[in-house]
Amino acid sequence: MDDLMAARSQMALSLGFHIIFACIGMIMPFLMAVSHYKYLTTGKDKYKTLTKAWSKGVAIFFVTGAVSGTMLSFELGLLWPEFMKHAGPIFGMPFSLEGTAFFIEAIALGFFLYGWDKFNPWFHWFTGVVVGASGLASGILVVAANSWMNSPAGFDFVNGEYINIDPIAAMFNAAWFSQALHMILAAFVATCFAVAGIHAWMLLKGKNSAIHQSALKIALTIGAVAAILQPISGDISAKDVAKRQPAKLAAMEAHFHTEESADLIIGGIPDEENKTVNYAIKIPGALSFLAHGDFEAEVIGLDQITEEEHPPVTVTHFAFQIMVGCGTLLMLIGLTWLFGLWKSKKYIFSKKYLTIVALATPLGFIAVEAGWFVTEVGRQPWILYGIMRTSEAVTPMPGIVYSFILYSVIYLSLSAIVSLLLIRQIKNLKENQDLSLPLNQ
């Protein structure tokens, strides 16, 4: 493994772990706030117990997210010094604002965790809302920085120099809205379905309590709404990518040849040597419609792009298919859940349905990881699209492979510690016998 591949692998590893912590850290406070609100309005102890249990999870992921996020910040400078030399003054504003949001989140979380029976109940609830709002702001600001890498703005690149810098224009670049919307909805879907899956599993294990049923209702209802909205944000993103990064869209769809009324490919195995896709299901004209809103529109293929600027097609295509497949399954589960709630159907608490929900626990995060593969691998060979190649930005220092191995050990250890802490918190969620309810109630 050469230094470039080691540096890219280390960033992929770091981002892959951090995005899980970040998603949960952003969304869990909102679930906590909903449960807390229901406790304040109903006075039922089950919601207080649930809120306190979820708040401990928020604290765990806040700490781990802070650690992994700090490591990512250092890696940007250590692994990609040439990139940061020029990019820092341009897109530094989102990172500085993200730091402010982080401190607000930390202060509000402290108030919430230690404010029980000390603050006015509604002010205490409000501090929990601030935790979620500031966490969400942090996520949006970081995505703004990433979207700038996909859609450079806020400067003029003249004779190798970056001049006329405008940090506001850089932050609110052309890709900012579509990426932020898609990522935030993905975070809601992944986190809510993961939480719902854990509580469904607890119900299947015989913990037939009002606590787990209430948790399932809160998490899965919010997750279902987000899963239904996600295809809309996906359509916005697809049209944006088709306009700005035609090579990425072509790699996502393994679209080798420019053509009108282009087929949408479902599945399939790309053959990059022969420029074909084997075993795929094709929907005539659908790619043209998704990319340009017209079934007859021309979609640019990889044949119109210089070969050395082709992204890795197989990885990008498979990642895109995995993301869409997982998202579709979660949307179907969400639709059946909302229908069951609406029609008061007992199947939503049946063992078969709970098993489906429990099995779907990791699907949201698999989709998130696959989506980031599409975003990052699909941008290659550029670190700053159309301006700076990844190979030009990597550090000249040798031995990056050893750093990659060290970071792998650190992240695996961190994941093991977090998993053990979460397992302990789940086991400590002891229900009172008077809260027990029949499984189908």
Side-chain angles (χ1 to χ4, degrees):
M1 180 183 292
D2 61 21
D3 286 338
L4 175 60
M5 182 55 67
R8 289 182 59 193
S9 299
Q10 183 173 320
M11 284 299 296
L13 174 77
S14 302
L15 181 61
F17 275 95
H18 177 69
I19 196 63
I20 295 175
F21 302 143
C23 285
I24 298 174
M26 284 191 295
I27 308 307
M28 277 301 299
F30 287 102
L31 301 184
M32 178 183 74
V34 172
S35 177
H36 195 187
Y37 176 82
K38 293 182 78 67
Y39 166 65
L40 293 176
T41 54
T42 66
K44 294 181 179 179
D45 286 338
K46 63 179 181 178
Y47 290 118
K48 182 178 182 180
T49 302
L50 180 59
T51 302
K52 286 189 172 183
W54 278 351
S55 68
K56 293 177 181 178
V58 170
I60 292 170
F61 280 101
F62 175 81
V63 173
T64 52
V67 172
S68 60
T70 302
M71 292 170 69
L72 268 172
S73 299
F74 280 111
E75 285 176 287
L76 280 172
L78 293 173
L79 297 178
W80 314 103
E82 189 64 23
F83 171 69
M84 292 303 295
K85 172 184 174 182
H86 301 290
I90 304 172
F91 81 146
M93 179 177 285
F95 281 122
S96 62
L97 292 175
E98 192 274 336
T100 302
F102 171 79
F103 283 117
I104 294 173
E105 183 181 5
I107 294 168
L109 182 59
F111 281 166
F112 186 84
L113 292 175
Y114 298 103
W116 289 98
D117 304 321
K118 295 181 178 67
F119 295 136
N120 173 281
W122 285 105
F123 175 77
H124 184 220
W125 171 80
F126 176 72
T127 62
V129 175
V130 171
V131 174
S134 54
L136 204 62
S138 294
I140 291 173
L141 289 165
V142 171
V143 171
N146 179 265
S147 65
W148 177 79
M149 297 166 68
N150 289 302
S151 179
F155 65 94
D156 292 324
F157 187 64
V158 181
N159 297 325
E161 297 292 329
Y162 297 76
I163 61 175
N164 301 327
I165 293 172
D166 183 351
I168 299 296
M171 184 165 66
F172 296 106
N173 57 80
W176 170 78
F177 175 75
S178 61
Q179 278 198 215
L181 177 64
H182 197 59
M183 183 65 240
I184 295 307
L185 284 175
F188 269 100
V189 173
T191 303
C192 289
F193 273 90
V195 171
I198 291 172
H199 287 284
W201 178 77
M202 293 296 286
L203 288 170
L204 289 169
K205 294 288 288 184
K207 308 294 185 181
N208 306 331
S209 74
I211 292 177
H212 292 300
Q213 289 196 15
S214 297
L216 187 65
K217 286 182 178 180
I218 293 171
L220 200 48
T221 300
I222 296 174
V225 173
I228 293 168
L229 294 175
Q230 187 69 306
I232 299 174
S233 74
D235 181 67
I236 295 172
S237 294
K239 287 179 169 57
D240 180 62
V241 169
K243 179 180 179 181
R244 293 183 301 96
Q245 294 177 296
K248 179 184 286 187
L249 180 71
M252 288 160 56
E253 279 296 320
H255 186 61
F256 290 103
H257 306 287
T258 301
E259 60 183 347
E260 297 179 351
S261 190
D263 298 340
L264 178 69
I265 293 176
I266 299 176
I269 301 175
D271 182 344
E272 296 188 53
E273 184 177 347
N274 295 311
K275 313 299 182 186
T276 60
V277 183
N278 301 316
Y279 315 112
I281 299 173
K282 297 183 178 181
I283 303 177
L287 180 59
S288 292
F289 179 78
L290 290 175
H292 302 292
D294 180 359
F295 284 101
E296 302 296 327
E298 180 182 81
V299 179
I300 295 174
L302 290 168
D303 58 345
Q304 288 196 13
I305 299 164
T306 305
E307 191 157 349
E308 55 265 24
E309 295 182 5
H310 286 189
V313 176
T314 302
V315 174
T316 307
H317 177 70
F318 283 153
F320 180 68
Q321 297 295 313
I322 290 170
M323 179 186 69
V324 173
C326 290
T328 301
L329 289 174
L330 293 176
M331 183 182 67
L332 293 175
I333 294 173
L335 286 169
T336 57
W337 169 261
L338 293 178
F339 179 79
L341 284 181
W342 176 43
K343 291 295 186 179
S344 299
K345 298 292 185 180
K346 293 183 178 180
Y347 72 78
I348 58 176
F349 286 110
S350 67
K351 289 186 176 180
K352 288 184 179 180
Y353 192 80
L354 290 175
T355 300
I356 293 173
V357 174
L359 291 174
T361 299
L363 290 184
F365 285 111
I366 292 173
V368 167
E369 297 285 7
W372 275 103
F373 267 89
V374 172
T375 299
E376 297 302 297
V377 177
R379 190 180 61 244
Q380 298 307 312
W382 305 101
I383 191 170
L384 184 58
Y385 188 72
I387 295 176
M388 181 183 289
R389 291 177 179 269
T390 308
S391 57
E392 298 169 346
V394 70
T395 177
M397 291 295 292
I400 301 301
V401 65
Y402 301 111
S403 172
F404 171 48
I405 294 171
L406 176 61
Y407 270 72
S408 299
V409 173
I410 291 173
Y411 275 111
L412 289 173
S413 301
L414 187 62
S415 299
I417 293 170
V418 172
S419 299
L420 290 173
L421 288 172
L422 290 176
I423 291 171
R424 188 176 72 175
Q425 290 302 322
I426 293 171
K427 288 181 178 179
N428 286 342
L429 185 56
K430 302 295 185 182
E431 304 87 13
N432 297 319
Q433 291 300 319
D434 60 346
L435 291 178
S436 295
L437 291 173
L439 186 59
N440 288 326
Q441 184 166 333

